[in-house]
Amino acid sequence: MDGVKKWANERKIADLIKVLEDREFGAVMAKDKEDAKRIVMDMIPEGSTIAVGGSVTLNETGILDEIRSDKYKFIDRYNTPNFEAMLEKYREGYHADVFVSSTNAVTMEGQLVNIDCTGNRTSQIVFGPKKVIIVAGANKIVKNVEEGIRRAKSIAPMNARRITHKTPCAADDNIKCTDCHCQARVCNVTSIVDGCHYFPQRITLVLVPEELGY
């Protein structure tokens, strides 16, 4: 990444961290994606039960590969014979020690904004696992909730195509939200986390001054 862009991202993240900490989130800035992986894995004790949300960021940082290590008890949502078995893995995730994911957007006002298909990611960020770690690149930072929802909707077609959901937005001749009403719809649940005041530091954000994920 261009050095000036990275510098600008670092300044933005530094300001954001102050806002997040005021809302009782944990927040730390990584130097780059390799540093983000180190920070995340240092936060997870060996033997922990770990669940994850679907995330390109976890793949790009190598965090998902580390979680698959024998050091941890990984609730593997990806290695299931059918949809019902995958749903059972989702349900197991509510009892995990740690839930690791990215986010569709984090606002400069200190909110997490996410849109989900089944709601397992949004709901486990909100409640269930004892600890939540969110990894996000600077491209996920937006001004406010409204901009966060717009961002989440704008990347929905790519996410639908990534997980092979045959939605109108993921068709070859389209790449925009049509507010579809099909079963494959990926925009069923919208969540806004406005702070961690009731469970201080339960959610920690690891923010990276480069572009990661969608």
Side-chain angles (χ1 to χ4, degrees):
M1 172 177 276
D2 175 90
V4 175
K5 273 187 184 177
K6 187 172 184 181
W7 167 80
N9 287 337
E10 288 171 344
R11 302 286 66 75
K12 183 186 290 187
I13 289 172
D15 289 341
L16 175 57
I17 285 175
K18 294 174 186 176
V19 176
L20 291 168
E21 288 178 339
D22 189 53
R23 290 177 177 265
E24 298 291 355
F25 290 98
V28 61
M29 175 162 44
K31 297 175 188 174
D32 50 33
K33 63 182 181 181
E34 285 296 320
D35 191 38
K37 179 173 71 172
R38 179 193 62 78
I39 290 169
V40 170
M41 302 320 299
D42 283 350
M43 292 172 63
I44 305 176
E46 286 191 26
S48 295
T49 300
I50 306 174
V52 300
S55 169
V56 174
T57 296
L58 296 188
N59 279 305
E60 289 180 345
T61 55
I63 291 170
L64 187 59
D65 288 335
E66 291 290 329
I67 288 172
R68 292 182 187 278
S69 162
D70 290 340
K71 296 178 183 178
Y72 310 103
K73 299 168 186 174
F74 178 38
I75 300 173
D76 192 351
R77 52 174 284 167
Y78 300 105
N79 187 24
T80 54
N82 53 52
F83 183 61
E84 284 302 318
M86 184 165 60
L87 289 180
E88 284 305 310
K89 293 295 183 182
Y90 288 172
R91 294 183 180 107
E92 284 182 44
Y94 290 94
H95 301 283
D97 297 313
V98 184
F99 183 72
V100 187
S101 183
S102 189
T103 185
N104 293 139
V106 53
T107 80
M108 289 300 297
E109 296 176 351
Q111 295 99 1
L112 298 180
V113 181
N114 286 286
I115 293 180
D116 256 7
C117 175
T118 63
N120 69 294
R121 180 177 62 112
T122 50
S123 58
Q124 288 180 48
I125 289 173
V126 172
F127 185 80
K130 297 171 187 174
K131 177 71 178 174
V132 176
I133 302 172
I134 301 292
V135 186
N139 51 308
K140 305 285 186 80
I141 301 173
V142 299
K143 181 180 177 181
N144 53 34
V145 168
E146 290 76 17
E147 191 175 314
I149 292 173
R150 281 197 297 272
R151 183 182 192 282
K153 289 282 188 179
S154 74
I155 62 171
M158 289 189 290
N159 278 321
R161 190 142 184 137
R162 173 175 64 87
I163 60 178
T164 65
H165 277 220
K166 297 187 182 302
T167 56
C169 67
D172 288 339
D173 60 349
N174 192 22
I175 191 171
K176 63 181 180 180
C177 177
T178 60
D179 191 23
C180 68
H181 296 276
C182 62
Q183 187 175 11
R185 178 184 170 102
V186 297
C187 301
N188 291 311
V189 181
T190 300
S191 77
I192 299 163
V193 180
D194 209 15
C196 280
H197 297 286
Y198 200 79
F199 298 109
Q201 310 295 307
R202 175 179 171 269
I203 301 175
T204 296
L205 284 89
V206 179
L207 300 163
V208 189
E210 57 190 40
E211 185 169 326
L212 290 171
Y214 295 162

